[in-house]
Amino acid sequence: MIAELGHFALALAMALALAQSVLPLWGAARGDARLMASGAPLALGMLLACLAAFGALLYVFAVNDTSVAGVVQNSHSAKPMLYKLAGSWGNHEGSMVLWVLILALCGGAVAAFGRRLPSALQARVLGVLGLVAVGFLAFILATSNPFNRVWPPPADGNGLNPVLQDPGLAFHPPLLYLGYVGFAVTFAFAVAALLEGRVDAAWGRWVRPWALAAWAFLTLGIALGSWWAYYELGWGGYWFWDPVENASLLPWLAGTALLHSAIVVEKREALKVWTVLLALLAFALSLLGTFLVRSGVLNSVHAFANDPERGVFILVLLAIYIGGAFALFAWRAPSMAPTGVFAPLSREGGLVLNNLLLCSMAAVVLTGTLWPMFADLLFQQKISVGPPFFNTAILPLAVPLVLAMAAGPLLPWKRAKLWPVLQRLWWAALLAGAALALCFFLAGARIGPALGFGAAAWLIAGAAADIIDRIALFRRPSAALSRARGLPRAAWGAAMAHAGLGVSIAGMAGMGLATDKLVALAPGGSTTLAGYEWRLDQVGDVVGPNWTARRATVTVRRDGATVTIMHPERRFFALARMTTTEAAIHTTWLSDLYLVLGEEEGGRAVLRIHHNPMAPWIWLGAAFMALGGGISLSDRRVRVSAPGAKRATGAAGAPA
């Protein structure tokens, strides 16, 4: 009964989304206030219907209702409750319900908190969100119904993929979807602006909070997925340029460019056409990632489905939404002439450089991700594009981007002179040079890590220099504290985000100095790595809720003192007939001791030992970046829509 109610709620959401996609847009075109006002209640109604459907989905997984096909395929009565609930979105069908729920939440937020928007603009935004929801609800109802019944119901389910039975991956998809779907809102604002034929400072201020929230959630989602791959897959790395990893990086790069470009629109009413294009592109890349994960064209541990029919459906949605949006852009963009004029050397010019470099990186990643597929399709050639290509191609773009990130916030708007900026950054350059030289000397002429530590020091010191300059710490030290208290939270958030990237780069540079060793030890045997003694004490059996495991006990000592006792495991899931690796990690926040248990042969256990300097800083920096986004979002000047004069100007519901 609950499953049928969930299915009915999806059908109801589809009907409401259809009405939401027609009535507000029709009202905005005709200037009919009543039709425009229908968008908000329809969006809230669709939100309630999606909440009901998702609640029904959670319920059938929580009670292990094996008459539902999705439960049979992705759950089991012996699983802990967290993984039963995570199983509801840890599969293709459930993940799509989560997608439309978050889309409905965004539409509900625009309806509830967008009362300060001009009525025509709000109606168009809600109408476009309704159109997007129609496509995905049709996809669910036609090809991916999560409430399909099976008969007779089996005694129990098959269980969730053991690799996905982890707290990190339980929360990874929701965070990613909050980022992906957040860009659906900026996409809706862009299409609404194209329909209306106007982009101004007020539009930039309305778009920026949504871009900022989507970017922060996507940052957390990518970081959590990277952390999961680091400790769960047992390979000792944090990023392998996997095609599905790249699929999440692409909208992040475009979204970062959009976030900075929207600032120029808000402050200077420049880059309007470019910002609209980025808003379209960020969501297009989000949809592309959805297609790659679900079409079966890529094989990855991250992929949800392997169904070409579903892939074709999503490809059609991609063509309709993105093709239609870009056609509208080609038609209306020439009429949106920029009004802001600025010199190449200015804050605006720095942000333009930022945008060009980020988009160039996205182009490199997109090409490297898709070209193997096209080469196979067009030339029947199997090629592989891996880390060497991406690392080599990204580095020449990353270096000027990092250099500009520290200098850009210190440049004045409209026009600037370079020398005063360099005078305020001399000590940052000195620190960066010292870090580079020290690492180059200590690491034995390894240029990659040395450049990384130099870039990290430059970014962190540059973020500090921005705050120091804003509060006039050295020019007027007596008033610095009061100026710091009055500094907008957006300024603190931006500095924290830039510094957070520096922290992450330091962690990546440290991983370039990692050392590892593969040994086979009998109980009582030991080996050394990175100044530590690693002694295998024993290997025994343990039993978990739905798995059994071989667990090693390894004592790590340094200078005769015990540092830690580690317990790596190899878990066997009998139901799935699958073995997973559970790495043991001891962190000091400056480095990780990382240990993986392999096969046992002749009374000896194979151990793979890693010493990863600075590894925790990768995810610590990502957390700082997302926190910086949250702090900026808490600034009322970012969240409040636009000045009264702007609202009055845009309130008329004149047709585009």
Side-chain angles (χ1 to χ4, degrees):
M1 181 64 181
I2 297 298
E4 282 70 31
L5 288 175
H7 192 190
F8 172 77
L10 286 175
L12 177 61
M14 176 70 172
L16 292 170
L18 277 169
Q20 181 185 333
S21 66
V22 173
L23 297 181
L25 289 174
W26 189 16
R30 296 182 56 189
D32 189 322
R34 289 178 299 176
L35 288 177
M36 286 190 289
S38 69
L42 286 170
L44 294 173
M46 189 183 77
L47 171 58
L48 292 176
C50 290
L51 281 171
F54 191 70
L57 187 64
L58 289 176
Y59 176 83
V60 296
F61 271 85
V63 302
N64 200 49
D65 184 352
T66 55
S67 68
V68 177
V71 175
V72 175
Q73 296 164 4
N74 300 283
S75 191
H76 191 274
S77 59
K79 283 198 324 184
M81 181 56 71
L82 172 63
Y83 302 134
K84 286 183 179 180
L85 297 178
S88 66
W89 63 75
N91 61 88
H92 167 73
E93 292 81 4
S95 70
M96 295 311 300
V97 177
L98 178 62
W99 176 286
V100 296
L101 172 62
I102 295 175
L103 184 62
L105 283 170
C106 290
V110 173
F113 304 112
R115 288 187 288 265
R116 295 174 63 91
L117 289 168
S119 55
L121 180 61
Q122 185 188 35
R124 289 187 172 103
V125 170
L126 290 174
V128 174
L129 289 174
L131 278 171
V132 175
V134 165
F136 281 95
L137 284 165
F139 175 68
I140 293 172
L141 292 170
T143 71
S144 308
N145 181 13
F147 298 109
N148 281 335
R149 294 285 192 177
V150 292
W151 189 262
D156 216 330
N158 300 329
L160 181 65
N161 184 342
V163 174
L164 307 182
Q165 294 185 36
D166 179 85
L169 212 66
F171 299 105
H172 168 62
L175 288 172
L176 274 185
Y177 288 179
L178 284 166
Y180 288 160
V181 180
F183 288 127
V185 182
T186 60
F187 171 82
F189 270 98
V191 173
L194 291 170
L195 291 171
E196 196 167 302
R198 186 180 72 246
V199 174
D200 54 17
W203 182 89
R205 182 173 290 190
W206 291 319
V207 165
R208 192 153 69 98
W210 287 103
L212 186 58
W215 176 86
F217 281 120
L218 190 54
T219 300
L220 284 176
I222 292 172
L224 191 57
S226 170
W227 185 46
W228 167 80
Y230 175 70
Y231 72 77
E232 177 66 23
L233 298 184
W235 61 295
Y238 61 93
W239 190 269
F240 197 65
W241 295 104
D242 178 279
V244 179
E245 289 177 337
N246 295 349
S248 64
L249 180 63
L250 286 167
W252 186 88
L253 290 169
T256 305
L258 168 63
L259 181 59
H260 290 83
S261 182
I263 298 174
V264 182
V265 176
E266 179 186 347
K267 301 293 185 184
R268 298 286 302 148
E269 292 204 26
L271 302 184
K272 295 189 291 187
V273 174
W274 175 247
T275 304
V276 169
L277 179 61
L278 285 175
L280 301 181
L281 187 61
F283 186 57
L285 293 173
S286 296
L287 289 184
L288 177 64
T290 303
F291 166 73
L292 293 176
V293 173
R294 288 169 173 79
S295 63
V297 300
L298 296 175
N299 292 318
S300 169
V301 70
H302 306 78
F304 272 121
N306 186 16
D307 189 339
E309 182 181 345
R310 290 171 175 172
V312 170
F313 199 116
I314 296 178
L315 195 60
V316 170
L317 290 180
L318 187 67
I320 293 172
Y321 292 141
I322 304 307
F326 279 117
L328 180 62
F329 176 82
W331 177 41
R332 301 303 297 266
S335 65
M336 296 187 296
T339 56
V341 179
F342 56 88
L345 185 58
S346 62
R347 178 80 65 87
E348 298 95 326
L351 292 171
V352 169
L353 178 62
N354 159 290
N355 273 222
L356 291 176
L357 292 170
L358 286 168
C359 290
S360 298
M361 288 182 179
V364 168
V365 176
L366 183 65
T367 302
T369 303
L370 296 184
W371 179 244
M373 180 177 65
F374 283 109
D376 187 19
L377 179 66
L378 299 176
F379 309 113
Q380 289 75 50
Q381 292 182 352
K382 299 288 185 181
I383 65 172
S384 177
V385 178
F389 165 78
F390 290 108
N391 293 335
T392 304
I394 290 293
L395 182 62
L397 300 171
V399 171
L401 178 64
V402 168
L403 290 174
M405 280 181 64
L410 296 173
L411 292 168
W413 294 101
K414 199 170 183 179
R415 62 176 56 88
K417 294 182 179 179
L418 187 59
W419 179 244
V421 174
L422 296 179
Q423 285 181 310
R424 285 174 279 181
L425 284 173
W426 68 268
W427 60 275
L430 187 63
L431 284 176
L436 189 152
L438 183 62
C439 179
F440 193 77
F441 174 75
L442 295 178
R446 297 175 66 176
I447 188 62
L451 283 175
F453 282 116
W458 169 254
L459 279 177
I460 296 170
D466 179 32
I467 296 298
I468 289 171
D469 183 66
R470 287 174 180 270
I471 65 175
L473 179 62
F474 298 119
R475 298 193 302 273
R476 287 185 290 171
S478 60
L481 184 59
S482 62
R483 291 176 66 89
R485 289 172 178 165
L487 200 63
R489 283 194 289 257
W492 288 105
M496 178 173 285
H498 285 193
L501 180 59
V503 172
S504 289
I505 290 175
M508 297 172 196
M511 285 290 284
L513 302 175
T515 54
D516 63 89
K517 189 175 188 179
L518 185 67
V519 296
L521 298 177
S526 64
T527 188
T528 59
L529 178 71
Y532 295 90
E533 178 192 0
W534 309 69
R535 187 186 69 218
L536 176 63
D537 296 327
Q538 63 176 0
V539 181
D541 295 321
V542 294
V543 178
N546 59 337
W547 47 264
T548 59
R550 293 288 286 172
R551 175 185 290 175
T553 300
V554 177
T555 300
V556 183
R557 299 169 62 86
R558 185 164 194 166
D559 298 328
T562 298
V563 175
T564 186
I565 298 176
M566 306 178 72
H567 300 283
E569 297 178 358
R570 295 183 70 251
R571 292 181 179 175
F572 177 70
F573 293 79
L575 190 64
R577 299 182 179 275
M578 183 175 178
T579 300
T580 65
T581 299
E582 298 294 321
I585 303 174
H586 173 75
T587 184
T588 64
W589 294 106
L590 291 176
S591 66
D592 279 352
L593 305 180
Y594 187 103
L595 184 61
V596 178
L597 174 65
E599 298 284 350
E600 296 173 67
E601 297 179 358
R604 292 174 175 266
V606 175
L607 298 176
R608 191 167 73 251
I609 306 169
H610 297 258
H611 177 249
N612 297 333
M614 308 292 288
W617 287 39
I618 297 172
W619 302 286
L620 184 64
F624 282 154
M625 292 166 67
L627 180 60
I631 291 173
S632 295
L633 198 60
S634 71
D635 192 329
R636 187 173 181 274
R637 280 167 284 195
V638 172
R639 289 182 288 106
V640 171
S641 58
K646 294 287 184 184
R647 289 198 305 275
T649 301

